[in-house]
Amino acid sequence: MNTLEILFYALSAFAIVSAIMVLVSKNPIHSVLWLILVFFAISGHYIILNAQFLAIVNIIVYAGAIMVLFLFVIMMIRLETSELKH
């Protein structure tokens, strides 16, 4: 196996595990943080494909701007699990 293949499979496994953790996490803030890690793994795939511009745009736009906005909104509304049960 080639080094790029090993890196591809490692990034794929990391992206799949992180995506599963997005769904499994009960805390919405932890879900957003896992989603940021998924975006970094996808950016690693773009770098392997020699699409460095897409990798940087993915990190800046999605992980940088949109996920920070999601975190801000989640922290602003302060979802408590005890309030949701009532």
Side-chain angles (χ1 to χ4, degrees):
M1 277 182 49
N2 185 333
T3 306
L4 285 177
E5 288 179 6
I6 294 171
L7 186 61
F8 174 78
Y9 289 126
L11 283 172
S12 298
F14 182 69
I16 290 171
V17 168
S18 297
I20 290 171
M21 289 303 295
V22 169
L23 299 174
V24 172
S25 295
K26 294 184 190 234
N27 190 349
I29 294 174
H30 292 160
S31 291
V32 170
L33 294 175
W34 282 111
L35 191 57
I36 290 171
L37 291 177
V38 172
F39 287 144
F40 276 109
I42 298 302
S43 294
H45 282 104
Y46 286 145
I47 290 172
I48 290 174
L49 292 171
N50 283 332
Q52 288 84 6
F53 178 74
L54 286 178
I56 291 176
V57 167
N58 189 27
I59 290 173
I60 291 172
V61 173
Y62 289 112
I66 294 175
M67 286 299 115
V68 169
L69 181 66
F70 283 172
L71 270 175
F72 180 72
V73 168
I74 288 170
M75 293 173 113
M76 283 287 288
I77 61 175
R78 293 185 186 171
L79 285 176
E80 298 290 331
T81 55
S82 61
E83 292 178 6
L84 293 175
K85 291 180 182 176
H86 294 298

